Amino acid sequence: MKKIVSLLTLALVLSACGDKKEKKDGAGSMTGTIQIDGSSTVFPITEAVAEEFRSEQPDVKVTIGVSGTGGGFNKFSRGETNISNASRPIKDQEKAICEENNINYIELEVAYDGLAVLVNPENTWVDNFTVEELKKIWEPSAQGTIMKWNQIRPEWPNEEIHLYGPGVASGTYDYFTEAVVGKSGSSRGDFTASEDDHVLVQGIAGDKYSLGFFGLAYYEENKDKLTLIGVNNGTEVVKPSLETVKNGTYTPLSRPLFIYVNSTSVKSPEVVEFVNFYLDNAGELSTDVGYIPLPSELYAQQKESFKTFVENNK
């Protein structure tokens, strides 16, 4: 009889433990779809966050498109996406379209990035650029006039410069032209442009006389195929790195990166959960994919701002 009682007691304990485990496993489960689009520069961070998030919420589908910052804002302003990846702040005309469509949003900084200036590994003559030299190459008036390397410095080869850069819908293009040329979206048009940074990597890697630019993370992924060139900040030549972007010496080619979340989406608990997860993990994951994390207190401030935004838009 004692054995029977003991077995029954043990069975009840195991059953209770099983119930607790089942409840714990199911407590955080969510469903739904989160639509994200925008910057190819921010994509690696968001993709890394999404991969980690899927391990915690496997029934939530996170889709991430790459149509460039401008293309992402076009979709976001029409209410087609929940979150927009952006490598620059939203422009006035994009804000206006959001207002027309009753799209309210919050801007959240997620990391810092440095723009990399790159040449082919067979290029043995360039070891640095000044900002003035980059402007001379990329400004609109350079088209049809600044065509060869020796027009930049006489000792450089009498060979054509072949230029590669992000397309005009890219926030990276906007930022580079503003920082170097002095006006966002203003540059020569005779360069190979692509919203896909992997296309730019292939172009530069296969062309001895190439010169291009894109986000630092894509250089980190392909450093065996490319040569990173330092930029003179007015005092010294500096190459972009985690340290030089963070301490501000890589100037003017470093910048913050953003995600934008619309107010309608925060009615969906899976979106709120994802954004909070993003802010909790962006520091570590941005480093993993070659970007520079924000100070921890700034992530905490962003999270508080998002919490207020959610409460105001329930």
Side-chain angles (χ1 to χ4, degrees), residues 41-42 45 87 109-115 215-217 241-248 253-258 282-283 286-287 289-299 302:
T41 302
V42 184
I45 307 174
S87 58
E109 286 188 26
V110 294
Y112 298 124
D113 179 35
L115 298 194
L216 179 60
S241 67
L242 296 180
E243 182 182 354
T244 61
V245 172
K246 198 169 186 177
N247 67 23
L253 293 178
S254 55
R255 58 179 174 169
L257 303 175
F258 309 92
S286 62
T287 303
V289 294
Y291 292 92
I292 297 86
L294 307 177
S296 56
E297 61 269 20
L298 192 47
Y299 285 117
Q302 305 269 344

Side-chain angles (χ1 to χ4, degrees), residues 20-137:
K20 282 182 182 177
K21 186 177 188 306
E22 188 176 335
K23 286 176 184 176
K24 185 178 178 183
D25 288 346
S29 63
M30 291 182 169
T31 58
T33 300
I34 302 171
Q35 300 278 0
I36 306 172
D37 206 314
S39 168
S40 63
T41 302
V42 184
F43 171 81
I45 307 174
T46 302
E47 182 186 39
V49 171
E51 284 181 4
E52 292 295 321
F53 183 75
R54 288 183 194 110
S55 68
E56 295 203 359
Q57 299 292 350
D59 295 327
V60 176
K61 184 180 180 183
V62 183
T63 65
I64 312 170
V66 183
S67 58
T69 296
F73 277 135
N74 285 340
K75 295 179 181 181
F76 185 75
S77 65
R78 296 193 296 261
E80 295 173 11
T81 56
N82 307 111
I83 298 169
S84 204
N85 291 332
S87 58
R88 59 158 172 81
I90 191 168
K91 293 179 177 179
D92 288 343
Q93 60 265 38
E94 293 162 342
K95 291 179 183 178
I97 298 170
C98 285
E99 288 177 12
E100 287 173 15
N101 293 325
N102 297 313
I103 302 290
N104 297 317
Y105 55 81
I106 185 171
E107 174 191 278
L108 299 168
E109 286 188 26
V110 294
Y112 298 124
D113 179 35
L115 298 194
V117 177
L118 303 141
V119 297
N120 184 279
E122 291 183 41
N123 182 322
T124 57
W125 55 94
V126 177
D127 58 3
N128 70 83
F129 284 106
T130 66
V131 176
E132 291 74 21
E133 287 169 338
L134 290 173
K135 180 179 180 180
K136 184 177 181 180
I137 294 167

